[in-house]
């Protein structure tokens, strides 16, 4: 897995402020989706100045993508406490991603807001989008039990990530059922079990 680039070190007070902002954003989005997240209301509810909020997050898209990374980090923490128990790596990854999916399913407005932000993200949001990708990759590799993946395995992980993201979009738009999402996720996760020579 490629090393994560260094991020600016936040003081304990700054980290608490950032966490408060992300918590507020998730709360607002869970009530009314993307449109319910207004920067001024986030600032007021988080008890920070509007200028301070913009220093942390230059736009609503930056804010919601960072919220998705934070939500995935929380899911990852839960998964570490109760990891998947299936025998094969592919089944463990499928179980992990479906558990994450169901967590998002419980907050459909929040899920929609975060996925819309990812879809709208331009190059200026690349650092935040990369954080979401790294968090998802880390969850998948933990489920695989593979601390040192091969290039072929990382390629399979990227395809799985793309499929998971696409499944979220099709479910949120009403074009796929949960049952279909589960089939698609289980199908793509089988890439993990294919011997490297068969992938070429």
């Amino acid at each position: 897995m490629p090393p994560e680039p260094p991020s600016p070190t936040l003081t304990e007070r700054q980290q608490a402020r950032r966490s408060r902002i992300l918590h507020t954003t998730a709360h607002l989005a869970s009530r009314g989706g993307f449109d319910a997240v207004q920067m001024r209301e986030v600032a007021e509810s988080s008890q920070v100045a509007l200028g301070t909020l913009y220093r942390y997050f230059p736009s609503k898209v930056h804010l919601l993508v960072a919220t998705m990374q934070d939500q995935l980090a929380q899911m990852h923490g839960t998964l570490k406490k109760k990891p998947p128990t299936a025998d094969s790596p592919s089944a463990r990854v499928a179980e992990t991603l479906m558990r994450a999916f169901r967590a998002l399913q419980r907050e459909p407005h929040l899920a929609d807001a975060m996925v819309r932000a990812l879809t709208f993200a331009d190059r200026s949001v690349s650092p935040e989008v990369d954080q979401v990708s790294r968090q998802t990759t880390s969850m998948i590799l933990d489920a695989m039990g593979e601390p040192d993946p091969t290039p072929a395995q990382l390629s399979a992980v990227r395809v799985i990530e793309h499929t998971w993201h696409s499944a979220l979009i099709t479910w949120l738009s009403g074009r796929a059922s949960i049952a279909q999402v589960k089939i698609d996720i289980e199908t793509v996760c089988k890439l993990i079990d294919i011997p490297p020579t068969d992938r070429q």
Side-chain angles (χ1 to χ4, degrees):
M1 185 175 173
E4 185 171 326
S7 56
T9 303
L10 298 179
T11 65
E12 189 174 333
R13 184 176 179 182
Q14 289 171 327
Q15 185 59 56
R17 183 182 297 135
R18 185 179 188 276
S19 296
R20 196 163 66 244
I21 290 168
L22 294 176
H23 176 78
T24 296
T25 303
H27 177 69
L28 290 172
S30 67
R31 289 193 314 183
F34 187 86
D35 293 336
V37 178
Q38 301 298 323
M39 297 296 273
R40 185 171 296 280
E41 186 173 356
V42 170
E44 290 174 356
S45 299
S46 305
Q47 299 180 321
V48 300
L50 186 59
T52 300
L53 174 61
Y54 276 108
R55 282 199 297 275
Y56 280 86
F57 305 103
S59 73
K60 179 163 80 169
V61 170
H62 286 80
L63 177 56
L64 280 165
V65 174
T67 300
M68 185 163 195
Q69 191 276 331
D70 186 61
Q71 292 290 310
L72 288 172
Q74 292 180 43
M75 291 177 200
H76 196 181
T78 301
L79 286 161
K80 284 182 176 180
K81 292 176 184 174
K82 190 177 179 182
T85 57
D87 292 334
S88 70
S90 62
R92 290 196 299 273
V93 172
E95 181 185 340
T96 291
L97 293 178
M98 285 309 298
R99 282 169 64 182
F101 188 91
R102 289 191 178 97
L104 293 171
Q105 184 190 5
R106 288 192 288 272
E107 295 285 359
H109 291 307
L110 173 59
D112 182 65
M114 296 187 301
V115 171
R116 282 177 66 182
L118 271 180
T119 304
F120 295 154
D122 59 20
R123 296 176 93 177
S124 72
V125 197
S126 290
E128 288 81 3
V129 173
D130 288 346
Q131 289 277 6
V132 169
S133 179
R134 274 191 290 273
Q135 185 67 64
T136 309
T137 297
S138 180
M139 289 168 61
I140 292 171
L141 292 177
D142 273 5
M144 288 169 62
E146 187 55 73
D148 189 23
T150 65
Q153 286 173 322
L154 282 174
S155 180
V157 168
R158 283 192 295 272
V159 174
I160 291 167
E161 282 186 49
H162 295 325
T163 303
W164 187 67
H165 182 232
S166 177
L168 274 174
I169 293 173
T170 54
W171 171 71
L172 286 165
S173 64
R175 292 182 288 124
S177 65
I178 298 298
Q180 186 60 57
V181 167
K182 187 172 186 290
I183 290 169
D184 291 350
I185 293 298
E186 290 175 347
T187 299
V188 75
C189 285
K190 290 175 183 175
L191 282 173
I192 293 169
D193 295 334
I194 299 174
T197 53
D198 292 342
R199 295 189 187 127
Q200 297 171 358

